[in-house]
Amino acid sequence: MGFHTFVAVGDSCAEGLDDPYPDHSRYRGWADYVAGRLARDETGFRYANLAVRGRRLDQIATEQLPAAERHEPDLIALFGGGNDVMSRGWDARTVARRVDTAIRQCTQIAPNVVTFTLSDIAHRMPLGGRMRPRVTALNDAIREASVSYGAKLVDLWPDQAAHDSRYFGPDRLHLSQAGHLRVAGHVLDRLGVEHDGSWLQPLPGSPAQGSAIADLRWLWQEVLPVGITRLRNRLIGRSPGDGFLPKRPELLPVAFSEAQV
């Protein structure tokens, strides 16, 4: 089955952080890789990416999905929930309702919908185990809604790549290029589209071993600045993602540079 129009919605992981293009003009990511592969099979294939970093599922539903509906895609991919997990005032039932609403709306927009669970962060950062119950609750809601509405689920929770730091950027949350390629491979597998098999092969060699010094550096360089920014934004009434725009708001053909790794 060929796809003619593809729209990605979601948060920073759908936008493509931390996988910049070689010229660092913008981020690339799994959705661009998927679009590049699909464009090889369909003349006139077009792709839009409406994702905005920092957005929760309720914001994705109200801000991005109306625009996605106007594009009338035959494939839509929703990657979100990470910001809900990290938000103050977490409530599992509220987030489950957000999940159900977003996935239901996606299936009303496009005949083919791809959704994602989140991977286990407990192995990548100190105190990550404290967030595991939230991620588990989010993933359970995503699995249930995906079954209820007939979405194709890419289940990243059991993926062993979550244990290899090379699949993630310096903040240990966002995917590196290797991580985005791996997610793209999972998506194409789920769609039944042939792709470069190396995207899902284990990386050669072994990842660097963690250390207390590395953890302290991560806390100082990655966690503390984000915490200060979030506190400042909260004091002035800003939400994460305010002021950012989608990197590809319109359905456009996929350029050759986007189709190549």
Side-chain angles (χ1 to χ4, degrees), residues 11-13 17 53-57 79-91 95 98 118-119 121 124-125 127-128 130-136 138 171-174 218 222-223 226-227 230-231 234 240:
D11 54 25
S12 54
C13 287
L17 279 69
R53 66 191 73 177
R55 283 334 210 188
R56 301 183 311 267
L57 285 162
F79 198 126
N83 294 297
D84 300 78
V85 166
M86 294 184 289
S87 294
R88 297 175 64 211
W90 158 269
D91 178 72
V95 173
R98 293 175 183 174
L118 301 187
S119 63
I121 66 173
R124 302 198 299 271
M125 57 192 68
L127 305 178
R130 296 178 61 182
M131 300 297 291
R132 179 181 279 170
R134 294 188 179 190
V135 177
T136 299
L138 172 72
D171 65 3
R172 305 184 186 181
L173 282 173
H174 295 101
W218 167 73
E222 303 294 335
V223 178
V226 172
R230 284 180 176 256
L231 177 59
R234 191 178 305 131

Side-chain angles (χ1 to χ4, degrees), residues 139-220:
N139 286 347
D140 286 346
I142 292 171
R143 292 188 186 100
E144 181 176 348
S146 296
V147 171
S148 296
Y149 299 113
K152 296 176 173 63
L153 177 66
V154 175
D155 194 351
L156 298 176
W157 177 262
D159 194 331
Q160 290 301 305
H163 304 284
D164 189 331
S165 60
R166 295 173 294 176
Y167 286 106
F168 300 90
D171 65 3
R172 305 184 186 181
L173 282 173
H174 295 101
L175 297 167
S176 64
Q177 182 186 47
H180 279 286
L181 284 170
R182 189 171 181 86
V183 171
H186 283 307
V187 173
L188 293 168
D189 266 359
R190 195 70 181 85
L191 295 174
V193 177
E194 293 184 359
H195 59 87
D196 186 338
S198 67
W199 293 2
L200 291 176
Q201 291 298 313
L203 295 175
S206 301
Q209 295 299 311
S211 68
I213 293 177
D215 288 342
L216 287 172
R217 184 181 301 115
W218 167 73
L219 286 168
W220 178 256

